């Protein structure tokens, strides 16, 4: 058994726990919208056609924000197709996912769904096939009370008060050659800067996200951020980051260390933003919106869209079924996001339902939790107050992709109001348990209120509609506190949470 120690002290703070860290993503892709969040006629559907079982699971998941409507989809989207009387809305081809878009769910439906689920909307504009004017039209529709064409059109459509959406994404992954309207960094920087400037003329209180790289492996990574931020820095608040991870060729050890890459990604983007800030002699700091992240097996058959003359509505796409190891990695990536809370001010798990998602549905059938649901829900529910900077002493193991990595990946939060300290920990070792020893002398008098671990001797075990509970986290009876030290045993390939309260 490995032995690892952690020292937790209230004096060493990274930054606040940000509720926007626990965002997700709804795109018109596969069955995320149609038969996902929206299925009129389903036995749980409300008057708007929203699946009640999915609404309940969204609340249980602890989602704070939802990015909409894409994703690659947004780069060809005509938002006005999806407003007004449903029977007059046109059916369009979605080039991004080779699908047909019926437009029976659009901006107003999404905003009603966001209100019903209790989430903050994060709206994206199309800077692929469209530009400044169309972005302004959508902003007017959403945020202007009345007295102008699109604002009055919203009122005609039955929505008297403006939505007042705060967060807006200026396009999506414009660095990617797969993107409709793909641009060079210089081309995108100009249109993004001018769109941001114009949008602020209409609503100066917006929070704007400019496109960063769609992955740290992109050949333009770093230079893209520098070029784009040099042009847009004064007009935006965030730069986006996107990253997906998967187990390659049976290399479980490297997969379990995926958060090493996420940490490096955040550090590189932050450094580039700070270099532009210094060169421009500006006071404002640009922060990271990690608004696409997840485990995604991109090379599986279910990730390939239809082809030829087949343009189906809501085809089965990207419906990865997650196992225990995938859930452990999701938990580890959440640890990374919290650990970087000084620079990551928002994040979005991609996506929410059916499409590489923690929630799955069957058309006309049940909704259920994937393995990845649990670390997200428990972290969202229990991380509060401030993120602490830890002193960690951990053994290392060799990985093919990242070299030597600590077997213990961990972060802690402290809520000064309640006195609670919560430790989130991942054992990256494939074969060895960890004996964890936590020095709590900075927080005397704590006791274990809850300790759970997600693990399984068979790390390939998956949840299903018939059995979504056997892979849920279980109580960890080994977690105990004595003499201001917490101790627990963490099995191999596991995610754990230990919640400590005043005795």
């Amino acid at each position: 058994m490995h032995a690892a120690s952690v020292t937790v002290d209230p004096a060493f703070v990274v930054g606040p726990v940000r509720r926007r860290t626990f965002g997700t993503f709804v795109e018109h892709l596969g069955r995320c919208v149609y038969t996902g969040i929206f299925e009129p006629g389903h036995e749980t559907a409300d008057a708007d056609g929203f699946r009640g079982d999915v609404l309940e699971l969204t609340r249980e998941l602890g989602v704070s924000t939802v990015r909409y409507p894409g994703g690659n989809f947004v780069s060809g989207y005509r938002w006005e197709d999806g407003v007004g009387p449903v029977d007059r809305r046109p059916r369009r081809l979605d080039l991004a996912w080779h699908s047909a878009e019926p437009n029976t769910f659009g901006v107003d439906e999404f905003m009603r769904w966001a209100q019903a689920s209790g989430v903050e909307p994060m709206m994206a504009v199309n800077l692929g096939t469209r530009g400044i004017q169309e972005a302004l039209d959508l902003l007017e529709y959403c945020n202007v009370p009345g007295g102008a064409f699109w604002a009055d059109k919203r009122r005609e459509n039955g929505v008297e008060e403006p939505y007042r959406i705060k967060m807006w994404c200026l396009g999506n992954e414009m660095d990617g050659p797969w993107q409709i309207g793909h641009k060079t960094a210089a081309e995108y920087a100009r249109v993004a800067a001018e769109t941001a400037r114009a949008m602020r003329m209409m609503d100066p209180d917006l929070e704007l996200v400019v496109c960063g790289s769609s992955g740290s492996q992109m050949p333009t990574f770093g230079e893209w951020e520098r070029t784009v931020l040099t042009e847009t820095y004064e007009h935006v608040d965030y730069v986006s980051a996107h990253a997906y991870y998967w187990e390659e060729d049976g290399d479980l050890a490297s997969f379990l260390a995926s958060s090493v890459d996420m940490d490096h990604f955040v550090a590189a983007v932050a450094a580039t933003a700070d270099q532009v800030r210094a060169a421009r002699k500006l006071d404002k700091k640009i922060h990271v919106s990690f608004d696409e992240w997840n485990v995604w097996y991109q090379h599986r058959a279910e990730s390939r869209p239809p082809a030829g003359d087949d343009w189906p509505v809501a085809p089965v796409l990207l419906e990865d079924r997650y196992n225990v190891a995938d859930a452990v990695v999701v938990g580890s990536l959440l640890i990374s996001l919290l650990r970087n809370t000084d620079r990551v001010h928002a994040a979005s798990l991609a996506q929410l339902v059916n499409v590489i998602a923690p929630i799955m549905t069957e058309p006309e059938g049940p909704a259920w939790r994937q393995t990845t649901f649990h670390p997200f829900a428990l972290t969202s529910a229990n991380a509060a107050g401030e993120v602490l900077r830890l002193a960690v002493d951990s053994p290392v193991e060799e990985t093919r992709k990242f070299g030597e990595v600590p077997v213990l990946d961990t972060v802690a939060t402290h809520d000064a109001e309640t006195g609670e300290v919560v430790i989130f920990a991942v054992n990256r070792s494939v074969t060895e348990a960890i004996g964890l020893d936590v020095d709590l002398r900075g927080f005397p008098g704590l006791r274990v209120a809850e300790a759970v671990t997600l693990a399984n001797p068979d790390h390939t075990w998956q949840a299903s509609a018939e059995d979504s509970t056997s892979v849920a986290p279980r109580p960890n009876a080994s977690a105990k506190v004595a003499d201001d030290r917490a101790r627990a045993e963490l099995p191999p390939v596991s995610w754990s949470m230990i919640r400590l309260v005043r005795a």
Side-chain angles (χ1 to χ4, degrees):
M1 179 185 294
H2 286 308
S5 63
V6 176
T7 301
V8 185
D9 193 292
F12 300 100
V13 175
V14 180
V17 175
R18 303 179 194 278
R19 286 304 307 158
R20 283 178 174 172
T21 300
F22 304 104
T24 60
F25 180 26
V26 166
E27 181 175 5
H28 287 249
L29 193 179
R31 297 194 309 112
C32 187
V33 173
Y34 304 110
T35 73
I37 65 174
F38 181 70
E39 188 177 352
H42 189 271
E43 63 180 5
T44 70
D46 62 15
D48 288 311
F50 306 150
R51 286 186 58 146
D53 51 359
V54 173
L55 283 170
E56 287 183 15
L57 288 173
T58 299
R59 298 185 194 108
E60 181 186 336
L61 188 62
V63 176
S64 57
T65 62
V66 172
R67 180 170 171 249
Y68 176 84
N72 296 347
F73 172 82
V74 77
S75 292
Y77 185 46
R78 286 175 272 198
W79 69 268
E80 59 271 33
D81 287 347
V83 299
V86 173
D87 60 357
R88 298 182 191 173
R89 298 182 189 180
R91 182 184 176 111
R92 302 282 191 187
L93 299 183
D94 167 28
L95 304 183
W97 300 107
H98 203 89
S99 306
E101 173 53 54
N103 284 305
T104 50
F105 186 100
V107 172
D108 293 320
E109 287 81 12
F110 171 71
M111 291 305 298
R112 288 198 297 274
W113 180 86
Q115 183 177 21
S117 57
V119 304
E120 177 189 3
M122 181 181 183
M123 189 68 72
V125 300
N126 176 358
L127 293 186
T129 60
R130 311 188 98 180
I132 299 170
Q133 186 57 62
E134 292 86 355
L136 290 172
D137 291 345
L138 177 57
L139 178 61
E140 179 188 311
Y141 187 88
C142 291
N143 283 18
V144 173
F149 178 83
W150 285 112
D152 288 342
K153 185 66 69 175
R154 182 198 68 246
R155 297 173 72 180
E156 288 176 22
N157 292 337
V159 183
E160 189 66 25
E161 296 300 320
Y163 296 124
R164 303 290 190 191
I165 299 171
K166 297 290 289 183
M167 292 189 77
W168 292 77
C169 301
L170 301 171
N172 174 74
E173 293 186 352
M174 299 310 297
D175 63 325
W178 58 85
Q179 200 69 214
I180 305 168
H182 161 62
K183 294 172 175 59
T184 66
E187 291 167 342
Y188 170 69
R190 287 295 300 147
V191 70
E194 295 307 322
T195 302
R197 185 180 289 111
M199 290 177 74
R200 289 201 189 280
M201 290 178 181
M202 186 177 292
D203 189 337
D205 297 325
L206 300 178
E207 297 178 42
L208 300 178
V209 184
V210 73
C211 287
S213 293
S214 51
S216 59
Q217 79 287 351
M218 294 295 290
T220 54
F221 175 61
E223 183 58 25
W224 174 277
E225 280 79 4
R226 187 196 65 78
T227 301
V228 169
L229 287 174
T230 297
E231 188 75 34
T232 63
Y233 199 101
E234 294 167 280
H235 309 295
V236 302
D237 304 284
Y238 309 91
V239 58
S240 72
H242 293 177
Y244 294 99
Y245 303 96
W246 60 96
E247 183 181 346
E248 297 182 72
D249 301 322
D251 185 8
L252 179 59
S254 294
F255 179 49
L256 292 169
S258 294
S259 64
V260 171
D261 179 78
M262 180 177 269
D263 286 339
H264 291 166
F265 197 166
V266 173
V269 172
T272 305
D274 289 346
Q275 185 274 329
V276 174
R277 175 181 176 232
R280 296 289 304 276
K281 300 176 175 61
L282 299 170
D283 293 327
K284 180 179 80 171
K285 264 192 175 182
I286 294 290
H287 296 289
V288 177
S289 173
F290 220 118
D291 47 43
E292 285 190 35
W293 68 272
N294 204 347
V295 172
W296 175 17
Y297 291 86
Q298 299 182 25
H299 305 298
R300 288 179 178 171
E302 57 264 35
S303 289
R304 291 195 291 270
D309 292 333
D310 185 18
W311 296 84
V313 174
V316 172
L317 279 172
L318 284 64
E319 296 198 11
D320 285 8
R321 298 299 174 95
Y322 292 120
N323 62 33
V324 170
D326 299 325
V328 170
V329 170
V330 165
S332 183
L333 296 174
L334 281 163
I335 287 172
S336 175
L337 293 171
L338 287 171
R339 186 165 49 228
N340 289 287
T341 192
D342 55 334
R343 296 312 296 261
V344 178
H345 283 206
S348 302
L349 176 74
Q351 297 187 16
L352 178 63
V353 186
N354 289 328
V355 176
I356 50 173
I359 301 171
M360 296 297 294
T361 70
E362 302 291 341
E364 301 181 359
W368 49 279
R369 304 167 189 82
Q370 292 231 61
T371 59
T372 56
F373 183 100
H374 302 291
F376 190 103
L378 284 166
T379 306
S380 178
N382 289 282
E386 295 176 316
V387 180
L388 301 179
R389 195 177 305 279
L390 307 181
V392 180
D393 184 7
S394 169
V396 297
E397 288 186 354
E398 186 70 24
T399 66
R400 191 185 310 165
K401 187 178 291 185
F402 304 112
E404 287 189 345
V405 300
V407 295
L408 176 66
D409 189 19
T410 185
V411 75
T413 63
H414 171 229
D415 187 339
E417 291 186 10
T418 66
E420 285 193 1
V421 173
V422 184
I423 299 164
F424 303 96
V426 161
N427 181 356
R428 291 169 168 158
S429 178
V430 176
T431 58
E432 297 292 324
I434 293 176
L436 177 65
D437 184 337
V438 183
D439 185 339
L440 295 170
R441 284 175 293 179
F443 299 96
L446 294 180
R447 64 175 177 84
V448 175
E450 181 183 13
V452 295
T453 293
L454 190 155
N456 193 293
D458 179 4
H459 68 266
T460 66
W461 193 268
Q462 299 176 342
S464 66
E466 295 74 29
D467 178 12
S468 63
T469 59
S470 64
V471 291
R474 296 285 187 262
N476 187 331
S478 72
K480 301 182 186 304
V481 175
D483 300 324
D484 295 327
R485 302 190 80 87
R487 293 179 174 85
E489 183 175 326
L490 311 181
V493 192
S494 68
W495 174 91
S496 298
M497 181 197 76
I498 304 171
R499 185 166 62 88
L500 305 160
V501 300
R502 293 168 180 155

